[in-house]
């Protein structure tokens, strides 16, 4: 549901916006996520991993940051350690929680069933 933000494309809601739940509003109207989609660099995300468990996308942003999306494709919570493949050190900002959750050049954590973790990697 949240991989749309990794594309440099117009945004469109295909649901009935008159009857959105609060959760759907929180996802679709998240200003940090909209900024990723509308980033002035206009680059599409690159798929870095695609297997039966994970889809991972990395997207460069105009100011030198990156966006990272990690999708668990399974019906079980899974743990992943993902190395960004980038040089340098980054603050890892969780865009759903609206806070920096770690620093480094990799992230390790649990991803719930069919959940997408969405991070902004801020160069330190």
């Amino acid at each position: 549901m949240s991989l749309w933000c990794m594309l440099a494309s117009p945004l469109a809601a295909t649901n009935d916006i008159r009857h959105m739940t609060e959760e759907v509003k929180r996802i679709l109207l998240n200003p940090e996520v909209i900024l990723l989609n509308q980033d002035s660099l206009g680059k599409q995300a690159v798929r870095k991993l695609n297997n039966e468990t994970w889809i991972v996308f990395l997207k460069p942003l105009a100011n030198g940051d990156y966006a990272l999306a990690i999708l668990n494709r399974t019906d079980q919570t899974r743990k992943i350690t993902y190395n960004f493949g980038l040089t340098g050190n980054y603050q890892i900002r969780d865009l759903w929680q609206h806070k920096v959750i770690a620093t480094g050049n990799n992230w390790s954590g649990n991803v719930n069933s069919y959940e997408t973790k969405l991070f902004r990697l801020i160069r330190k």
Side-chain angles (χ1 to χ4, degrees), residues 72-124:
N72 175 357
R73 301 172 81 168
T74 72
D75 60 1
Q76 299 175 16
T77 297
R78 302 283 181 159
K79 183 174 178 80
I80 186 172
T81 298
Y82 186 77
N83 185 303
F84 307 146
L86 303 170
T87 58
N89 208 14
Y90 293 85
Q91 287 184 329
I92 304 165
R93 182 172 177 82
D94 185 310
L95 299 187
W96 302 127
Q97 295 181 42
H98 303 288
K99 65 180 182 180
V100 173
I101 59 165
T103 59
N105 58 16
N106 65 68
W107 178 79
S108 183
N110 290 323
V111 184
N112 292 329
S113 172
Y114 304 108
E115 177 185 21
T116 301
K117 295 288 188 181
L118 189 57
F119 304 120
R120 186 175 189 118
L121 309 178
I122 303 163
R123 186 179 298 274
K124 289 181 69 176

Side-chain angles (χ1 to χ4, degrees), residues 41-89:
L41 188 60
K43 295 275 187 178
Q44 298 284 358
V46 174
R47 187 171 50 202
K48 296 295 192 173
L49 182 60
N50 184 25
N51 61 36
E52 63 282 344
T53 304
W54 304 105
I55 299 176
V56 176
F57 282 98
L58 186 68
K59 175 179 176 166
L61 302 173
N63 70 347
D65 292 350
Y66 287 86
L68 177 71
I70 302 173
L71 168 64
N72 175 357
R73 301 172 81 168
T74 72
D75 60 1
Q76 299 175 16
T77 297
R78 302 283 181 159
K79 183 174 178 80
I80 186 172
T81 298
Y82 186 77
N83 185 303
F84 307 146
L86 303 170
T87 58
N89 208 14

